[in-house]
Every structure is written in C-alpha cells, then in structure tokens.
C-alpha cells in the first residue's frame, strides 16, 4: 500500500519536556490509523506538526514521498491535509456556509466591477458536499444555534471543501453522546470508503476496535508500538499505552449499605422560562451506595445535581441531608453540611492556572489549620505535604511535583487534580458528573477505583454519567431519567445494559 505520510525521527521539545521523542511512523493511503496514548503522551503535538501548527526540532516529514516543510496550516492545506481540533474553531454568529468558505470565498463581480461573495453558489456546494458524504447540515443555519455534533460536522465539511485527502481528528468523540459517536464512526468509515486517509486520535479502545485498521501507541512522547487492530485485543493495547496491565473492568470492593444520607422528594426544577427540566423525581441515597443517574444528555440529570448543590432553585419538592431539610440552604451551607460536587463544567470548580499544584490542591482549605496558622499565615510545608500525598494517591502526572504550574499540565491531569481536591474535603455525599469524560483508560481506572474505595468507606455517591459502561460497572442502584422524569429506579443487578439503554430512549416497556 502507498505511504502518504512519513514521520522520520521526529523530536519536539517544550520547556522541561520532550513531547515527541524520535518518532518514526508511516501512514498508508486509505487507512484509518488510530493514535492512542494517555493524556500528555504527545498525540496532539505530533499531529500539530503534520498540520503546520508546530514545527519539529529534529527529523523530517514526507508527504506522498516528498520531504515537506509544513510551516503553517496554509501549507498543510495545499498538501490536502485537514484537521478537526479538540476545540472547534468556528465563528458563532455566522452561517455554516460562511464558516466553511472563510478565507477562500468564491468572488463574483457585480456589473463586472465590484467584487462580492457568492453565497448562493457556496450554499449549493456545501449542500452537495453534505449530501455526498452523508453529513447532514443546513448550510444557512447559524453556528450559535447548533449542537456540538453539528458543529463537528461543519468542521469536517470545512476540511472536505478544501479538498483534504488526509484527515486528522483530534479526540472527536470526547464531546459527543453515545448515539452521536455511533453516527460519527459511520461518517469516518464513509470517508475511508471514498478513499480518504484518516488519522484518529482517541482514548477509546472500543472505537479503535470498531473502525481502525492500525493503531500507533504513544507513551510519554515515545512511539511504543504500531499494531494491526483486528488481531490485537483492547487489553493488549491498553497495557502498551499505560506501560502496565490495566484492569478494564472493576471488581468492586465489598460494601454494605448503611443509613439513608440523602433523600430527594418530588424534586421539580424549571428553567427561567418555565421549562420543566426535572419533574417530580424522588430517590434516596444511602451510605455505602453508588446511585447512578443514567440518561441521554440533556434529560435533566445535571439539573438534579445542580439543585442538590444549591446552584439551581427547587421549584417543588424537598431535599434532605441526614434527615435535615436543606431545600433552601445556600451553596456554602450545603458544602459545610457535607455535599461535595464534581460538576461537568470543571472550570467552575477549576484550577487557578497560574498557581502551582500545591496551592490548587489546597484551594478550599488554605484558610483552615493546619494550612494556615492561627495568625492566618500560610504553612507551605503542610501544603506541600498535602499536595505530595494527593499527587501520589491520584496518580497526577506533574513535571515538578507540588511546584508544577497547573497551566503546564495536560487536561486529564488537571481533572485528576480537581477530583483529588474535592474528594479530600471528606464530604459524606459526593456527586460526580461525568467524572471520566475525556480521560484515558489509566486515569479512568484510577478514578473508578477511587469511587469504589469511597463507597467501601461508607460514603454516599451520586454518579451522573453518559457512559453506560461506567454506570454498569459502578452502580448499586440505577435511576433512568427521560425528559426529566424517572423511567425506572432499580437495583443495578436486575438490569442489563441493553435494558438501561431502552429506558434511556424512553422505549422500554415493562413485561407483564
Ligand atoms: N505549546 C506547548 N507548550 C508547552 N508544552 C506543551 C505545548 N503543547 C504540549 N505541551 C506539552 O507536551 C506534552 C504532550 O502534550 P500533547 O501532545 O498535547 O499530549 P496529548 O495530546 O497526547 O494529550 C504535554 O506534557 C504537554 O503539557
Ligand atoms: Mg491532545
């Protein structure tokens, strides 16, 4: 098979780190090559050199057998290389077509004199392209009105409009729901069928197994293997990626359910414009229990957690913590009463990026002893000790321990730091929303084990996740939410994954 891209001895350094270390890799025309690696392994860096956003310190890149100096994305463009980034780069208040043709607008001349952009014919071309590749969009829609999955299709169309032949996807499924992922994988397969070469960066082994032909594995900046996917197990891939054996399924620690800790009665939550997001939901959560709320994104699960945390007002119903009603308590009162919240939007509980880990891991406790003394002076040694302990307990990869700047860490490790800090607050109720979203298998394993450990210690855990596998693995009780209403609430051991999925879609009918 023809080689379209060849990396030869590529090395790329950033201050204090070798992001890519002597990488040689060939990519074949018409294949789907997956790039797998933990957070910070160097995947995005390698691809950003192919796309001209970075240039290698050493080594060379050959495109279709010819040595190229890819000094900018424009050069990449001319070489028919396109990339869909982790964070989309679209202009919110413009239409799909305007975004797609940006920079290469077809110009017409009015009266043969005044140039203007021919939006009409561009719309047509986008429509054709969208039909041809089965990427349904309406070219005239404005970006800000569109869900994430459609924005992603726009990014894909943007590459295709520019005649890209080598398509790079940087963790495209991290932002999608299970159904959207299925459809994306279908789209990627289609693209391969039309002869495109696909490079797919992902953490998700099952996705690789489903569509990739080969898989290149990076570990700490080095290429540790290139595998033929059909003949390799996911177990083998993850072991190479993490550098050790990883258990992909958790065997839960023995735990016994204790007293009721949190009770929610007929909880109803509405948005400002009176749209009912949560409709009369009731459940009770016990010490030593993981209660998972399953549902397709946007069915009210996050609003339940927000209402319990005090971030959204309760329209009707009540919330009790240890038998005390907290329905109208302030956020701070709830935190002090023992409710910890690790929300989906990690920026709101996020990190101070320009602070070292030491301060970040202590962000909610620094004013208390032993981290401050009685005169309010910060005790660096105590903070250091806490940071070092959490770094090791949560396997936070940080270049220089407690002194590492949060900004310099990879996204996954930033997430681990936030989760470590919140867990360390010793709350009795912990709410996790999508705790492993976007993380690699090694980090997922660490967090799942942590949740299991907390349960064994008698904590009460509310888990909200879009990953059914995660729910099936951890939950004692599953509540399925659909349109804000409880479809079912049952012991996890009495339901199959398939059944939960049916409840999520609102199609399951109880057998008589
Ligand atoms: N522009 C940059 N400046 C400094 N360090 C960077 C930069 N880009 C990436 N890094 C570092 O290089 C390493 C590899 O990062 P990256 O390629 O983004 O990893 P991955 O995509 O596999 O998660 C990480 O330690 C990251 O912090
Ligand atoms: Mg990356």
């Amino acid at each position: 098979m023809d080689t379209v891209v060849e990396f030869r001895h590529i090395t790329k350094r950033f201050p204090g780190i070798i992001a890519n270390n002597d990488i040689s890799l060939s990519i074949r025309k018409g294949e789907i090559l997956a790039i797998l690696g933990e957070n910070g392994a160097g995947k995005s860096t390698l691809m950003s050199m192919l796309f001209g956003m970075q240039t290698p310190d050493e080594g060379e890149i050959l495109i279709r057998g010819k040595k190229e100096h890819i000094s900018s994305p424009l050069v990449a463009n001319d070489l028919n290389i396109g990339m869909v980034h982790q964070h989309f780069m679209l202009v919110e208040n413009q239409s799909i077509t305007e975004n797609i043709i940006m920079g290469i607008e077809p110009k017409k001349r009015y009266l043969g004199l005044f140039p203007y952009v021919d939006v009409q014919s561009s719309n047509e071309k986008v429509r054709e392209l969208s039909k041809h590749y089965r990427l349904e969009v309406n070219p005239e829609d404005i970006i800000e009105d569109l869900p994430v999955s459609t924005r992603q299709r726009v990014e894909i169309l943007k590459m295709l409009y520019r005649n890209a032949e080598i398509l790079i996807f940087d963790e495209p499924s991290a932002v999608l729901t299970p159904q959207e992922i299925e459809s994306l994988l279908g789209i990627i397969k289609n693209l391969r069928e039309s002869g495109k070469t696909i490079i797919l960066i992902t953490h998700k082994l099952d996705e690789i197994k489903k569509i990739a032909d080969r898989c290149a594995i990076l570990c700490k900046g080095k290429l540790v293997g290139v595998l033929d996917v059909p003949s390799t197990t996911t177990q083998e891939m993850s072991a190479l990626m993490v550098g050790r054996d990883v258990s992909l399924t958790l065997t839960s620690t023995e735990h016994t359910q204790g007293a009721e800790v949190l009770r929610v009665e007929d909880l109803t939550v509405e948005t400002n414009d009176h749209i009912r997001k949560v409709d009369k939901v009731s459940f009770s959560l016990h010490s030593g229990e993981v209660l998972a709320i399953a549902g397709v994104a946007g069915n009210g699960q996050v609003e339940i957690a927000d209402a319990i945390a005090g971030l959204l007002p309760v329209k009707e119903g009540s919330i009790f913590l240890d038998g005390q009603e907290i329905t109208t308590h302030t956020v701070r009162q709830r935190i002090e009463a023992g409710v910890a919240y690790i929300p989906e939007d990690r920026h709101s509980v996020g990190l101070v990026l320009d602070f070292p880990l030491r301060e970040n891991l202590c962000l909610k406790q620094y004013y208390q002893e032993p981290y401050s003394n009685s005169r309010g002076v910060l005790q660096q040694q105590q903070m250091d000790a806490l940071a070092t302990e959490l770094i090791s307990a949560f396997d936070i990869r940080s270049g220089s321990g407690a002194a590492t700047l949060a900004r310099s860490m990879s996204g996954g490790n930033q997430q681990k730091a936030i989760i470590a800090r919140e867990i360390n607050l010793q709350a009795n109720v912990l709410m996790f929303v999508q705790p492993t979203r976007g993380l690699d298998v090694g980090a997922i394993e660490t967090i799942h084990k942590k949740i299991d450990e907390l349960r064994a210690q008698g904590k009460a855990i509310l888990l909200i996740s879009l990953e059914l596998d995660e729910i099936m693995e951890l939950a004692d009780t599953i509540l399925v939410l659909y349109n804000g209403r409880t479809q079912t609430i049952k012991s996890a051991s009495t339901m199959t994954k398939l059944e939960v999925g049916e409840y999520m879609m609102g199609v399951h009918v109880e057998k008589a």
Side-chain angles (χ1 to χ4, degrees):
M1 224 186 276
D2 297 349
T3 294
V4 272
V5 176
E6 190 181 347
F7 293 100
R8 282 193 189 158
H9 302 291
I10 294 287
T11 293
K12 178 74 186 173
R13 300 182 188 85
F14 292 116
I17 194 150
I18 305 181
N20 286 160
N21 192 345
D22 193 18
I23 293 183
S24 295
L25 171 67
S26 295
I27 301 170
R28 301 166 184 166
K29 182 166 167 39
E31 74 169 335
I32 299 180
L33 175 83
I35 305 219
L36 178 68
E38 292 192 282
N39 281 307
K43 307 179 295 292
S44 296
T45 302
L46 186 65
M47 287 308 128
S48 67
M49 289 185 284
L50 181 56
F51 191 60
M53 295 169 75
Q54 304 270 2
T55 45
D57 296 328
E58 287 163 34
E60 51 200 34
I61 301 176
L62 283 74
I63 308 294
R64 300 178 194 92
K66 190 165 166 279
K67 209 166 112 181
E68 301 284 356
H69 179 63
I70 311 173
S71 54
S72 79
L74 287 176
V75 177
N77 222 348
D78 289 341
L79 293 165
N80 307 94
I81 301 169
M83 180 162 180
V84 175
H85 299 274
Q86 252 166 317
H87 305 284
F88 303 151
M89 301 180 174
L90 298 170
V91 183
E92 290 282 321
N93 59 0
Q94 293 197 345
S95 75
I96 290 184
T97 298
E98 284 169 319
N99 268 278
I100 290 175
I101 64 178
M102 193 167 294
I104 51 170
E105 296 91 346
K107 296 259 178 28
K108 268 195 175 174
R109 280 178 192 278
Y110 181 64
L111 300 176
L113 283 174
F114 312 105
Y116 71 97
V117 177
D118 186 1
V119 175
Q120 205 72 34
S121 73
S122 306
N123 275 337
E124 273 321 301
K125 185 160 175 206
V126 170
R127 219 182 295 278
E128 258 165 46
L129 216 52
S130 121
K131 224 185 258 158
H132 184 251
Y133 290 101
R134 276 176 273 168
L135 284 153
E136 275 144 67
V137 300
N138 174 16
E140 281 140 76
D141 285 351
I142 305 296
I143 298 296
E144 62 193 358
D145 302 329
L146 301 174
V148 191
S149 55
T150 312
R151 290 171 188 230
Q152 189 173 56
R153 279 186 231 142
V154 176
E155 290 277 14
I156 300 172
L157 284 168
K158 200 168 159 181
M159 295 193 288
L160 297 171
Y161 189 90
R162 286 163 174 69
N163 301 317
E165 291 295 328
I166 300 162
L167 312 181
I168 310 165
F169 291 84
D170 196 351
E171 299 197 34
S173 66
V175 292
L176 303 179
T177 63
Q179 285 79 357
E180 291 168 341
I181 293 176
E182 279 309 311
S183 126
L184 173 72
L185 296 182
I187 290 168
I188 293 181
K189 271 194 193 163
N190 269 345
L191 290 168
R192 174 182 53 190
E193 250 118 73
S194 4
K196 310 281 184 194
T197 303
I198 316 273
I199 303 164
L200 173 67
I201 300 180
T202 178
H203 295 309
K204 298 190 182 162
L205 299 165
D206 55 330
E207 286 172 12
I208 295 181
K209 207 58 194 158
K210 268 187 204 151
I211 64 168
D213 300 301
R214 293 190 308 147
C215 169
I217 301 177
L218 292 182
C219 184
K220 296 179 181 143
K222 290 204 175 115
L223 182 68
V224 292
V226 182
L227 307 169
D228 171 58
V229 170
S231 59
T232 310
T233 65
T234 48
Q235 198 60 261
E236 290 165 328
M237 290 189 237
S238 66
L240 261 178
M241 153 173 156
V242 182
R244 64 182 158 86
D245 273 322
V246 185
S247 67
L248 295 175
T249 45
L250 178 93
T251 1
S252 56
T253 313
E254 213 170 300
H255 54 284
T256 42
Q257 234 159 274
E260 178 186 88
V261 185
L262 179 77
R263 186 164 86 249
V264 169
E265 281 178 6
D266 291 328
L267 179 70
T268 298
V269 180
E270 288 185 354
T271 58
N272 287 336
D273 33 8
H274 307 294
I275 296 169
R276 196 161 275 217
K277 296 300 259 183
V278 180
D279 196 359
K280 289 202 168 23
V281 168
S282 302
F283 61 85
S284 100
L285 174 64
H286 304 81
S287 147
E289 178 184 23
V290 172
L291 186 150
I293 302 184
V296 175
N299 273 278
Q301 44 286 59
V302 175
E303 284 79 5
I304 292 180
D306 280 351
I308 295 170
L311 301 169
L312 274 180
V314 172
K315 170 83 179 166
E316 278 161 37
S318 354
I319 304 168
F320 298 88
L321 183 69
D322 296 318
Q324 302 280 325
E325 179 157 7
I326 59 160
T327 317
T328 57
H329 280 27
T330 63
V331 175
R332 166 150 272 185
Q333 282 172 324
R334 296 178 206 222
I335 293 173
E336 286 173 357
V339 180
Y341 188 15
I342 294 124
E344 183 170 24
D345 173 13
R346 297 193 176 86
H347 294 156
S348 64
V349 280
L351 300 165
V352 184
L353 290 177
D354 290 316
F355 277 12
L357 260 183
R358 177 177 50 239
E359 273 77 6
N360 271 300
L361 288 170
C362 213
L363 215 54
K364 295 207 168 158
Q365 289 168 297
Y366 67 91
Y367 57 89
Q368 296 165 344
E369 288 197 40
Y371 310 109
S372 287
N373 68 11
S374 52
R375 280 170 292 134
V377 178
L378 286 178
Q379 303 298 298
Q380 291 286 345
Q381 260 175 1
Q382 302 289 349
M383 289 170 61
D384 256 332
L386 172 70
T388 309
E389 184 193 319
L390 294 181
I391 287 169
S392 106
F394 287 84
D395 188 28
I396 303 169
R397 307 279 166 81
S398 48
S400 26
T404 312
L405 280 190
R407 184 181 295 287
S408 71
M409 297 179 357
S410 69
N413 284 299
Q414 292 177 344
Q415 279 175 36
K416 283 195 266 184
I418 293 168
I419 289 177
R421 183 183 68 209
E422 297 297 311
I423 288 181
N424 187 50
L425 294 176
Q426 313 290 341
N428 278 328
V429 176
L430 294 115
M431 298 191 287
F432 290 88
V433 178
Q434 293 267 72
T436 58
R437 183 168 200 168
L439 300 192
D440 55 71
V441 283
I444 292 174
E445 185 196 31
T446 308
I447 287 164
H448 284 179
K449 278 194 177 151
K450 243 338 177 234
I451 292 177
D452 177 60
E453 209 178 292
L454 290 162
R455 165 172 57 192
Q457 289 164 13
K459 304 287 186 193
I461 294 162
L462 186 68
L463 169 71
I464 293 175
S465 177
L466 300 176
E467 301 281 351
L468 255 187
D469 287 330
E470 177 163 84
I471 288 184
M472 297 315 285
E473 192 163 310
L474 288 166
D476 300 297
T477 312
I478 300 177
L479 187 161
V480 186
L481 210 60
Y482 178 69
N483 268 341
R485 296 210 190 100
T486 305
Q487 286 294 103
T488 191
I489 174 164
K490 280 194 210 168
S491 160
S493 59
T494 65
M495 277 191 282
T496 64
K497 187 175 158 186
L498 202 68
E499 275 176 296
V500 179
E502 288 172 353
Y503 280 116
M504 283 168 63
M505 310 294 242
V507 297
H508 189 83
V509 189
E510 294 291 348
K511 290 187 198 83

